[in-house]
Amino acid sequence: MQRVLLIGDGARENAFASALSYLRLYALSSFINPGIKKIVDSSGGKYYIGDINSQEFVKKVKDDVNPDFAIIGPEDPLFHGISDVFYQEGIPVIGASSKNSMIEKSKTWMRQLMWKYGIPGRLRFKAFSSIEDAAKFIMEYGGSVAVKPSEQVGGKGVKVVADLQAYLSQEKRLALSKSVDKIGELVSDKVKVIVEERVDGPEYTQHVLTDGQSYLPLPLAQDYKHAYQDGIGPETGGMGSISGPSSLLPFITEEEYEDTFDIVRQTAKAVERETGEKYKGFISGQMMLTDLWGPTVIEYYSRMGDPETSAIIPRIKNFGEVLIRAAEGHLNKVKPEVVETSSVVWVVSPLGYPLDRTIARGKRIFVDVKKIEDFGCQVFFGSTSLEGGQIITQGSRALELVALGDYNEAVKKLERCVSFVGSETRLIYRTDIGKSIDDMIEKAEIIRYSYKKRKSKGTLGISADWSPNGGMW
Ligand code: GLY
């Protein structure tokens, strides 16, 4: 039986584990994820606890396990060169090399790359090493912009400046300076801010798996980023997701899917040319359908998104085999068996997430997995640790419930299943996820109309602020 070492501790990794449960599974996490632990135990593997970002520690675990291949879920170990540990020793691994993970780590690097290689779906931007200069620029520019830390900080710190009239008032200027200061705090001593032109439209994620030769686009998913019902509240890592039917979403056409796949593939090839290293693993475009370009890149992940993964993996019957083939370098030998049926994911978080993780940490939660499965859902554990037989929250998203079916049917299942999750603290989840699909279709139609007009006139990507200066205003 093949031995696989899985690195990471969230719901995404629990979903990977479920797809690989027929192999001997070894796991390395910073705490004991109850869902992964169950699979490790039943497969006859072993669970290791430690620093998943330490090359030294991972080397020790690797030597102990002697895996046939490894899979790395989160971005941080990629940024810390954990996949390089395996590449250096010729052990197959699914995970971008540290150099290639720059596509996620630095938004400035990513935007520069897209302009350098003329990849469609690129936004104009300006990068600043000083907060003051960024604030000065956006005050003088006066248009709608999105302000982001250049370095990946888990989706935090994005600030959209859209209300131009009010923005020009003194008070708004002050508020804006403060928001920029706050972003500066997130990136601490390496303050670098990126200011991008603002676009609007439905968002979706296109995950592509590559072994360095072939590129496999997975079914699209949509992530719901805001903490509270109907998309209000602070941004989170994602409070739920949807996928399907088939490889599309109801508001994305086959042509847009193909265009998006082409953008992501072109980007992976451009990364390879820049770094001189084959891109192996996942590269995922966090996209928006805009009138400027149609499919437009908001950011890239060098991994699968979470909670998008929980919506996708249960829809691919042979995902374990897909991963094995990718690791072996024979991705072209497998065809993913995607079920037509859609899926909906609801994330359950403890009160306090995402704004005050100290409140969200250390709380017991109670999950009746059998009942959840009896009512047609699956559960993937996230930021929870198994301690003395209890499931204890670790301060972030605790678990993800998945249901398959058409969107109405999946939502109905989730409404039942979520009642089998309890806690000594209040639990936060969004019951709107999987609903209002028609509104998204309508919004996409409006955008698609002007995007098609631009396409026919040959004006894709051109805006009133156009400057031929390499994407910089
Ligand atoms: N769903 C957002 C992320 O994976 O970063």
Side-chain angles (χ1 to χ4, degrees):
M1 193 190 280
Q2 279 192 307
R3 302 153 74 87
V4 53
L5 175 60
L6 171 66
I7 299 178
D9 35 41
R12 166 186 45 217
E13 289 73 37
N14 191 171
F16 281 136
S18 73
L20 295 165
S21 59
Y22 62 99
L23 305 181
R24 180 149 300 147
L25 185 70
Y26 296 81
L28 167 57
S29 307
S30 34
F31 50 79
I32 299 183
N33 176 305
I36 300 175
K37 171 90 168 97
K38 196 171 164 195
I39 298 169
V40 165
D41 289 349
S42 63
S43 79
K46 189 171 166 186
Y47 210 119
Y48 297 82
I49 299 295
D51 182 357
I52 61 174
N53 298 322
S54 156
Q55 290 197 13
E56 207 186 344
F57 180 65
V58 172
K59 260 186 205 146
K60 278 194 195 136
V61 173
K62 168 196 68 66
D63 290 343
D64 200 43
V65 173
N66 190 21
D68 293 296
F69 74 97
I71 173 162
I72 300 167
E75 65 276 20
D76 254 354
L78 302 176
F79 298 165
H80 284 86
I82 297 303
S83 46
D84 303 340
V85 167
F86 297 89
Y87 287 123
Q88 277 152 18
E89 300 202 15
I91 297 172
V93 56
I94 296 183
S97 67
S98 59
K99 276 191 190 168
N100 289 347
S101 68
M102 278 296 282
I103 193 67
E104 170 164 14
K105 189 164 186 236
S106 168
K107 290 190 177 62
T108 307
W109 193 87
M110 178 272 279
R111 289 275 173 234
Q112 282 169 344
L113 183 94
M114 290 193 73
W115 279 92
K116 180 171 173 185
Y117 289 87
I119 299 167
R122 55 191 188 269
L123 294 177
R124 275 162 282 272
F125 73 100
K126 200 160 167 62
F128 296 92
S129 55
S130 124
I131 295 298
E132 290 71 29
D133 289 349
K136 189 165 174 287
F137 169 77
I138 47 185
M139 283 180 201
E140 283 166 4
Y141 170 63
S144 292
V145 291
V147 187
K148 302 172 180 177
S150 175
E151 294 243 330
Q152 223 282 18
V153 284
K156 287 170 284 179
V158 176
K159 181 88 190 166
V160 169
V161 182
D163 180 354
L164 183 58
Q165 291 289 41
Y167 162 77
L168 290 172
S169 78
Q170 193 59 33
E171 276 158 46
K172 278 269 174 163
R173 285 181 180 213
L174 200 62
L176 182 61
S177 313
K178 281 187 183 152
S179 83
V180 170
D181 282 348
K182 205 150 181 225
I183 289 167
E185 280 164 27
L186 284 171
V187 290
S188 64
D189 53 332
K190 292 180 271 173
V191 174
K192 289 220 174 64
V193 176
I194 183 164
V195 180
E196 294 175 349
E197 64 186 321
R198 185 186 173 234
V199 279
D200 194 21
E203 293 189 49
Y204 59 101
T205 315
Q206 167 76 87
H207 297 84
V208 174
L209 177 60
T210 173
D211 58 0
Q213 311 293 333
S214 311
Y215 296 85
L216 178 71
L218 300 183
L220 299 179
Q222 189 188 37
D223 175 20
Y224 289 65
K225 285 201 160 51
H226 289 274
Y228 311 127
Q229 205 78 351
D230 301 320
I232 59 169
E235 287 215 354
T236 68
M239 289 301 288
S241 56
I242 58 171
S243 177
S246 69
S247 287
L248 305 178
L249 283 161
F251 50 89
I252 298 294
T253 65
E254 184 77 44
E255 189 186 351
E256 288 153 5
Y257 176 76
E258 289 302 330
D259 288 350
T260 306
F261 175 38
D262 198 44
I263 289 170
V264 179
R265 192 173 34 196
Q266 281 191 48
T267 305
K269 288 183 175 163
V271 172
E272 286 184 354
R273 283 203 285 278
E274 279 303 296
T275 64
E277 292 181 1
K278 277 275 172 208
Y279 198 110
K280 294 183 188 173
F282 291 100
I283 175 164
S284 312
Q286 219 282 292
M287 310 294 297
M288 185 182 274
L289 190 73
T290 72
D291 66 348
L292 189 67
W293 279 108
T296 304
V297 174
I298 302 302
E299 58 187 64
Y300 272 107
Y301 311 144
S302 49
R303 51 170 173 101
M304 283 193 81
D306 185 355
E308 294 96 314
T309 304
S310 300
I312 294 170
I313 291 183
R315 300 189 56 236
I316 305 179
K317 286 193 205 158
N318 59 343
F319 197 69
E321 194 196 344
V322 169
L323 291 174
I324 295 170
R325 293 292 186 188
E328 288 169 344
H330 300 304
L331 191 53
N332 60 343
K333 297 216 172 101
V334 64
K335 193 172 165 5
E337 291 166 33
V338 178
V339 299
E340 180 66 21
T341 327
S342 303
S343 60
V344 179
V345 175
W346 285 3
V347 170
V348 180
S349 299
L351 182 73
Y353 177 79
L355 293 178
D356 189 345
R357 295 189 186 214
T358 51
I359 296 175
R361 198 168 289 134
K363 304 292 190 302
R364 281 179 302 159
I365 63 164
F366 316 104
V367 186
D368 191 335
V369 175
K370 181 163 183 321
K371 275 268 169 37
I372 287 172
E373 289 174 355
D374 286 349
F375 279 91
C377 304
Q378 240 180 306
V379 56
F380 295 130
F381 286 87
S383 176
T384 52
S385 170
L386 197 58
E387 296 171 17
Q390 304 275 4
I391 300 172
I392 308 294
T393 61
Q394 299 298 292
S396 189
R397 296 168 293 169
L399 56 89
E400 296 175 11
L401 295 172
V402 192
L404 265 61
D406 66 41
Y407 286 119
N408 288 336
E409 191 187 339
V411 165
K412 280 206 176 71
K413 285 185 192 170
L414 289 169
E415 283 168 351
R416 287 304 303 270
C417 292
V418 78
S419 67
F420 302 113
V421 183
S423 178
E424 61 183 338
T425 185
R426 219 178 103 202
L427 295 173
I428 310 291
Y429 52 90
R430 285 182 53 177
T431 58
D432 61 319
I433 293 170
K435 296 180 185 163
S436 307
I437 303 288
D438 287 347
D439 292 351
M440 286 187 249
I441 296 172
E442 202 177 314
K443 185 173 179 181
E445 276 302 327
I446 295 165
I447 285 164
R448 190 170 293 120
Y449 176 79
S450 42
Y451 147 56
K452 281 194 166 162
K453 279 254 178 261
R454 276 175 174 276
K455 202 171 180 180
S456 66
K457 289 184 178 159
T459 58
L460 281 185
I462 295 175
S463 88
D465 304 312
W466 170 256
S467 136
N469 185 18
M472 313 284 277
W473 279 295

